[in-house]
């Protein structure tokens, strides 16, 4: 890519970094150029001196900045963690299991940025269609942070009954509105009022509790969400004066393991230990009986072993296993553009099926795409053929 010229001084000043630091970030390849159609950006690939990973600088006259979405810390125990972390009240929100998106409007154009700071063509088109984004004309300095959920997406294909639109299962819920250049969040109430005013979908608080009793209430909520097969909660200070904290259900721990162990040589290692630790502390804190603990252990074991053996069986039968997702596009051009984007993301994919479907909004393209995990496929074949474990 041709290196464009832009005012490094101004960028450094806006980010509160020195020119020296900025150059260091370039040199270390933490700061990289990127482009989406005619839009050129700089992108932080990693956290750097307080600038979040996924921070994007639009290379326009303003040098508009969109800060990366901060990491959400996890409570391993509810007590005393919540009591220690929060100030007074705790807002409990459901944690949706989709992918994080920041929506901004720059030079009159709407962009949907992924967590890593890429402008996603698929998501950008969907949010423009799903939402009336007038709010960004009135509040251009804000970014709408939310979760894109549903089965028909390329990142986290997970069914949610509330976002069923007939031919497509996909929807967006705002959980945070932030000043995009400073990353300062609006208080929860203000965020909700704005969403209501502009008729935007948002994550509704389940309840507000005192921090001293939070662990008791949240345990009950978690048990209910667990039964319903939902991911967990994100806990917030009403004024967003301290960072949010997440806590997830046993169901999610198991689902994560199941999906990771389907492609176990690619994903198993990174997923395993942290999930098992979460379960260990939950079992302790919930004062389980031996019987309950054994049930948990059985669930965990099955979540690991069953998908693994299933995958080995499939590979042994000559199949190349892939993670499949079905996406709906308005046109061939949109589909092609998305394929280019996937290649840029270095995702190894295989198009398994394409068909035209009739919907109440006209003819659309439905594509079945498989994400290939080469390591899992290749290693299984090699062990089945007698290779020794090193
Ligand atoms: P990290 O831990 O770095 O934030 P991760 O990919 O491991 O990233 P998750 O475990 O999914 O993240 O938890 C944090 C994410 O949860 C947020 O980035 C956000 O996308 C998502 N999320 C879903 N529902 C909410 C909610 N109600 N409030 C805040 N975040 C939510
Ligand atoms: Mg998530």
């Amino acid at each position: 890519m041709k290196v464009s010229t832009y005012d490094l001084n101004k960028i450094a000043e806006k980010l509160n970094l020195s020119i020296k630091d900025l150059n260091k970030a370039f040199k270390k390849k933490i700061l990289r150029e990127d482009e989406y159609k005619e839009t050129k950006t700089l992108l932080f690939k990693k956290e750097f001196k307080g600038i979040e990973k996924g921070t994007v600088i639009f290379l326009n006259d303003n040098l508009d900045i969109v800060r990366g979405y901060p990491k959400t810390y996890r409570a391993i125990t509810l007590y005393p963690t919540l009591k220690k972390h929060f100030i007074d009240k705790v807002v409990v929100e459901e944690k949706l299991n989709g992918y994080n998106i920041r929506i901004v409007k720059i030079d009159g154009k709407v962009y949907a940025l992924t967590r890593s700071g890429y402008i996603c063509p698929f998501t950008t088109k969907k949010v423009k269609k799903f939402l009336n984004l007038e709010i960004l004309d009135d509040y251009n300095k804000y970014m709408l942070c939310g979760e894109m959920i549903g089965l028909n997406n390329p990142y986290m294909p997970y069914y949610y009954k509330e976002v069923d639109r007939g031919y497509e299962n996909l929807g967006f819920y705002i959980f945070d509105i932030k000043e995009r250049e400073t990353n300062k969040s609006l208080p929860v109430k203000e965020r909700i009022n704005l969403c209501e005013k502009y008729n935007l979908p948002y994550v509704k608080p389940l309840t507000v509790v005192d921090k001293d009793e939070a662990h008791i209430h949240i345990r009950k909520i978690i048990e209910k969400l667990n039964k319903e097969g939902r991911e967990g909660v994100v806990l917030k200070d009403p004024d967003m004066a301290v960072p949010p904290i997440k806590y997830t259900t046993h169901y999610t721990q198991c689902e994560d393991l199941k999906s990771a162990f389907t492609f176990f040589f690619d994903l198993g290692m990174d997923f395993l230990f942290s999930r098992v630790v979460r379960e260990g502390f939950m079992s302790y804190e919930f004062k389980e009986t031996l019987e309950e603990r054994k049930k948990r252990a059985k669930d965990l074991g099955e979540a690991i072993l069953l998908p693994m053996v299933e995958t080995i069986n499939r590979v042994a039968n000559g199949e190349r296993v892939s993670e499949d997702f079905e996406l709906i596009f308005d046109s061939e051009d949109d589909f092609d553009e998305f394929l280019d984007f996937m290649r840029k993301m270095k995702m190894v994919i295989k198009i398994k099926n394409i068909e035209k479907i009739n919907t109440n909004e006209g003819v659309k393209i439905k594509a079945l795409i498989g994400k290939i995990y080469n390591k899992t496929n290749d290693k299984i074949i090699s062990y089945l053929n007698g290779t020794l474990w090193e």
Side-chain angles (χ1 to χ4, degrees):
M1 192 188 299
K2 192 174 145 290
V3 176
S4 354
T5 47
Y6 31 81
D7 189 348
L8 276 185
N9 276 307
K10 191 169 168 189
I11 295 174
E13 194 189 320
K14 284 188 92 171
L15 290 173
N16 211 2
L17 293 174
S18 65
I19 287 274
K20 204 175 147 205
D21 282 338
L22 215 53
N23 282 320
K24 195 164 147 198
F26 273 117
K27 212 170 149 199
K28 285 180 146 177
K29 298 207 157 81
I30 291 173
L31 192 53
R32 298 272 288 267
E33 291 197 4
D34 190 34
E35 61 190 339
Y36 167 73
K37 293 185 180 167
E38 270 80 63
T39 308
K40 289 198 171 13
T41 58
L42 289 179
L43 163 62
F44 278 86
K45 306 273 287 180
K46 283 190 193 148
E47 195 275 339
F48 182 77
K49 302 208 180 244
I51 307 296
E52 303 80 4
K53 174 182 172 192
T55 295
V56 174
I57 301 132
F58 282 78
L59 297 173
N60 56 6
D61 291 344
N62 284 336
L63 295 170
D64 281 296
I65 292 172
V66 182
R67 298 279 290 263
Y69 198 79
K71 189 176 166 50
T72 310
Y73 291 96
R74 173 182 297 275
I76 292 294
T77 52
L78 292 171
Y79 185 88
T81 315
L82 306 180
K83 188 178 157 78
K84 275 177 81 177
H85 179 82
F86 286 102
I87 302 167
D88 177 21
K89 301 279 184 209
V90 182
V91 181
V92 185
E93 281 178 18
E94 183 177 347
K95 184 175 195 298
L96 298 172
N97 194 6
Y99 60 105
N100 181 299
I101 283 295
R102 286 163 285 153
I103 306 175
V104 294
K105 198 164 191 176
I106 307 284
D107 299 330
K109 285 202 187 109
V110 168
Y111 299 97
L113 305 178
T114 64
R115 192 81 195 276
S116 5
Y118 292 100
I119 298 168
C120 171
F122 172 83
T123 315
T124 298
K125 287 189 181 118
K126 297 292 178 187
V127 298
K128 277 159 87 174
K129 188 174 239 168
F130 295 167
L131 312 171
N132 175 350
L133 293 167
E134 248 173 67
I135 185 174
L136 294 175
D137 297 322
D138 300 344
Y139 298 93
N140 192 258
K141 294 279 169 265
Y142 288 169
M143 54 180 172
L144 309 176
C145 310
E147 199 82 347
M148 191 67 129
I149 56 168
L151 198 56
N152 299 115
N153 80 72
Y155 308 108
M156 199 51 95
Y158 209 86
Y159 180 83
Y160 272 92
K161 59 179 187 313
E162 56 266 52
V163 294
D164 223 38
R165 336 179 154 251
Y167 63 89
E168 186 177 44
N169 184 247
L170 193 64
F172 182 76
Y173 289 90
I174 293 171
F175 52 66
D176 204 355
I177 299 182
K178 284 172 169 282
E179 286 176 8
R180 59 173 163 76
E181 301 225 336
T182 63
N183 234 341
K184 191 174 179 317
S185 291
L186 291 184
V188 175
K189 270 210 184 92
E190 267 182 58
R191 182 234 300 164
I192 292 177
N193 288 344
L194 267 188
C195 288
E196 300 243 322
K197 182 172 166 206
Y198 287 89
N199 200 16
L200 291 164
Y202 62 91
V203 180
K204 293 185 183 63
L206 298 172
T207 180
V208 183
V209 296
D210 286 331
K211 68 164 187 171
D212 292 345
E213 275 94 52
H215 57 287
I216 303 167
H217 297 288
I218 286 151
R219 173 172 172 183
K220 286 193 188 124
I221 293 169
I222 281 291
E223 281 167 350
K224 180 165 178 279
L225 291 172
N226 185 52
K227 283 203 192 93
E228 295 167 349
R230 317 248 329 173
E231 191 187 12
V233 292
V234 182
L235 309 168
K236 300 177 182 180
D237 175 67
D239 294 321
M240 298 292 278
V242 290
I245 283 193
K246 61 190 178 189
Y247 190 79
T248 53
T249 57
H250 165 68
Y251 173 85
T252 291
Q253 265 87 256
C254 292
E255 285 302 302
D256 285 0
L257 287 172
K258 279 184 205 164
S259 53
F261 276 81
T262 305
F263 309 101
F264 56 99
F265 280 121
D266 289 271
L267 307 174
M269 280 285 223
D270 285 349
F271 272 72
L272 186 62
F273 185 65
S274 61
R275 272 37 176 214
V276 176
V277 169
R278 289 175 208 169
E279 287 290 291
F281 279 89
M282 192 184 270
S283 178
Y284 159 80
E285 188 169 18
F286 290 10
K287 299 193 174 58
E288 287 183 324
T289 60
L290 184 60
E291 200 184 330
E292 285 166 333
R293 191 162 299 161
K294 283 191 165 171
K295 164 79 169 61
R296 189 182 290 278
K298 182 165 177 278
D299 290 350
L300 270 181
E302 288 187 356
I304 296 165
L305 202 74
L306 300 187
M308 175 166 17
V309 181
E310 155 106 22
T311 296
I312 299 173
N313 263 316
R314 281 163 62 187
V315 173
N317 286 329
E319 198 182 325
R320 239 183 134 70
V321 292
S322 62
E323 180 181 36
D324 296 346
F325 46 87
E326 210 158 47
L327 304 179
I328 315 289
F329 297 93
D330 280 350
S331 66
E332 300 264 358
D333 281 354
D334 284 2
F335 181 38
D336 288 342
E337 189 188 359
F338 183 68
L339 289 179
D340 283 344
F341 177 71
M342 306 265 311
R343 283 183 203 112
K344 185 167 106 179
M345 297 294 95
K346 304 216 162 60
M347 259 168 126
V348 188
I349 55 160
K350 187 176 162 206
I351 301 165
K352 297 191 142 180
N353 193 37
I354 307 178
E355 59 186 298
K356 292 212 163 90
I357 54 165
N358 284 310
T359 74
N360 48 359
E361 291 165 37
V363 179
K364 302 207 182 266
I365 291 166
K366 185 157 109 176
L368 181 67
I369 299 171
K371 186 174 174 193
I372 310 282
Y373 288 97
N374 280 327
K375 204 167 159 191
T376 297
N377 282 287
D378 296 345
K379 281 202 161 199
I380 292 175
I381 293 172
S382 128
Y383 289 124
L384 289 173
N385 287 328
T387 300
L388 295 173
W389 185 281
E390 291 183 40

